[in-house]
Amino acid sequence: MFLLNYKRISTVINFLLVLLFVYTGTSKLLGHQVFKEQLEQLHFLQPLGGFISVTLPVTEIISGLAIAFKPTMRWGLWLAALLMTIFTAYVGFMLAGDNTKLPCSCGGVMKAMSWKTHLWFNILFTLLAWANIYLTDIRKRE
């Protein structure tokens, strides 16, 4: 019974992460030029804007797809947790500085969030990703 609950929770978290990463990655690729321009508005990202504007959404999609398949799920969860940690730190940086006037470069409906809402959203998904790595380890041992 206990293991069954872990499986259900883990499956729901996986579904949410797959949805999040495939959706945001695809959205960024479909609006590639806008995403690139938004990245380049930050002076420290300007030289890497073109590179990041392609590699980040592709990495997000790869992470989402990796989570969806059992042989690559653990690898995808680690990638998702790492990405969410970086994204959360980035949003925290934006809030700490005077950068909140800049548009959010996230894809889809996420860009409609305020920076504070975005921080809480990212914290939630960061915790979910790290928790699911732990849950996956528990499932593996039982």
Side-chain angles (χ1 to χ4, degrees), residues 12 15 27 29 41-42 55 75 80 86 94 100 104 112 118 124 126 129 133-135:
V12 169
F15 175 77
S27 179
L29 286 177
Q41 287 181 26
L42 290 168
T55 56
W75 180 83
I86 293 167
M94 295 300 281
T100 56
C104 174
H118 206 118
L124 172 66
T126 301
I133 292 169
Y134 176 74
L135 291 175

Side-chain angles (χ1 to χ4, degrees), residues 13 17 81 84-85 88 120-135:
I13 293 171
L17 290 169
M84 287 309 304
T85 301
T88 302
W120 286 111
F121 179 88
N122 281 12
I123 289 170
L124 172 66
F125 272 87
T126 301
L127 292 173
L128 287 173
W130 286 112
N132 212 24
I133 292 169
Y134 176 74
L135 291 175

